[in-house]
Amino acid sequence: MAKDKITVQSFKAAKTEKKAISMLTAYDYTTATLLDEAGVDSILVGDSLGMVMLGYDSTLRVTMDEMIHHTKAAARGTQRALLIGDMPFLSYHVSVSEAVRNAGRFVQEGGAEAVKLEGGPDIIDKVHAIVKAQIPVLGHLGLTPQSLNMFGGFKVQGKDIEAARRLVDDALLLQDAGAFGLVLECVPDTLARLISQKLDIPTIGIGAGPHCDGQVLVIQDMLGMYRKLRPKFVKTYAELGDATVEAVKNYIHEVREGEFPRNEHCFQMDGSLLAKL
Ligand code: KIV
């Protein structure tokens, strides 16, 4: 275990010490090694991989097997960060026993240290049971993309008094059920602040303003690689999409013009051997 390994206990301590938690998604070995080297506190193998890695138009088509495949890869590249696997649509909705079994797969097969589930009262019995099975749970409220068809699109949540009250109640319910943290997605910043103040567990915001106890972004978004959608809440820290297209254009040009490979990219053979051939 890395010396300064981040655990769910570190999340608790971070809230007490008012140290903001950084979380990013990763779905493969190489990206996970880079994020871990940079010192991110937590790596989430999000079901957003359905869109940014697999090209689906929502997260609803992502399967348990796809999640486990990518979690395994990210786990091989993660030493220090807390690795969280995102339970996909229908993997925890059918029954408590199926939810526990699937959460267990993330830990046993995938190498994750915690799982994330979307939703409030409807899934609270599953959260209880998964925590009871000694698997830490990160909750997720607000815009929960697996409920896309019920919401009727990607919309900011908690904007009227009823919805805001429900979010506060659901957050407290998840905390009581044993969640170690809570993702708040696309909720007004003042509401996210109120929820963060009411909870003892840390809130991790995405489109929820600066008053959460931590922040999470999808790595392809913050690196400018996923060009289909650019949500308002994303800050693009690098334009790797543009940089990749430029680099590939350069490569194509050099291949066509015979400028690549050069001598330094070639393996040499003894001239006398060549003569014998
Ligand atoms: O799937 C995902 O990447 C997520 C984060 C955006 C919180 O749920």
Side-chain angles (χ1 to χ4, degrees):
M1 197 182 265
K3 188 166 56 61
D4 53 349
K5 174 82 185 108
I6 304 293
T7 66
V8 291
Q9 298 306 328
S10 322
F11 268 50
K12 255 189 209 153
K15 172 113 183 174
T16 311
E17 293 162 20
K18 297 191 182 342
K19 269 200 220 153
I21 297 164
S22 57
M23 184 184 289
L24 285 168
T25 68
Y27 320 99
D28 66 286
Y29 167 79
T30 302
T31 308
T33 59
L34 296 173
L35 302 193
D36 207 53
E37 183 185 323
V40 76
D41 294 319
S42 180
I43 293 178
L44 171 68
V45 186
D47 65 352
S48 50
L49 73 81
M51 297 173 78
V52 300
M53 296 291 288
L54 304 178
Y56 299 147
D57 55 7
S58 79
T59 59
L60 296 176
R61 290 173 60 190
V62 178
T63 65
M64 268 303 293
D65 286 346
E66 286 167 339
M67 288 305 303
I68 296 296
H69 175 78
H70 285 275
T71 304
K72 278 181 179 175
R76 284 180 215 117
T78 306
Q79 303 270 312
R80 176 185 171 273
L82 179 76
L83 186 71
I84 304 171
D86 202 3
M87 296 194 69
F89 178 59
L90 275 195
S91 68
Y92 54 98
H93 302 83
V94 178
S95 70
V96 169
S97 60
E98 219 174 285
V100 174
R101 180 89 49 209
N102 282 326
R105 282 191 67 194
F106 273 97
V107 176
Q108 212 162 42
E109 295 176 43
E113 296 153 312
V115 293
K116 177 169 83 60
L117 280 74
E118 296 182 5
D122 291 346
I123 58 138
I124 212 70
D125 53 339
K126 281 84 173 191
V127 174
H128 263 294
I130 294 169
V131 172
K132 231 172 148 190
Q134 306 303 303
I135 301 168
V137 169
L138 179 65
H140 186 162
L141 292 174
L143 198 173
T144 45
Q146 291 173 17
S147 308
L148 177 70
N149 291 328
M150 297 294 270
F151 290 149
F154 293 111
K155 293 176 186 161
V156 176
Q157 301 296 306
K159 282 177 88 174
D160 61 62
I161 185 69
E162 277 310 305
R165 228 176 240 142
R166 217 174 312 123
L167 271 180
V168 174
D169 290 347
D170 292 358
L172 289 165
L173 198 63
L174 283 162
Q175 173 172 278
D176 290 347
F180 73 90
L182 176 65
V183 170
L184 288 175
E185 180 163 354
C186 287
V187 302
D189 56 354
T190 42
L191 177 59
R193 180 174 57 195
L194 180 76
I195 294 172
S196 304
Q197 286 165 348
K198 279 186 177 283
L199 293 183
D200 297 324
I201 56 173
T203 56
I204 310 292
I206 174 161
H211 308 296
C212 294
D213 302 300
Q215 299 291 329
V216 58
L217 283 176
V218 169
I219 190 74
Q220 275 81 353
D221 288 342
M222 63 94 77
L223 296 180
M225 295 173 78
Y226 185 69
R227 290 133 84 93
K228 233 173 143 179
L229 210 75
R230 246 185 216 196
K232 171 186 160 81
F233 57 77
V234 170
K235 177 170 174 185
T236 311
Y237 284 81
E239 289 291 355
L240 295 197
D242 290 349
T244 303
V245 171
E246 233 7 78
V248 172
K249 278 185 178 169
N250 209 356
Y251 166 76
I252 294 167
H253 171 81
E254 292 199 356
V255 168
R256 285 187 183 148
E257 298 301 315
E259 292 169 13
F260 174 83
R262 294 208 181 113
N263 213 23
E264 67 263 33
H265 307 118
C266 298
F267 301 100
Q268 271 75 44
M269 184 184 178
D270 192 324
S272 61
L273 281 182
L274 194 61
K276 283 185 193 154
L277 281 175

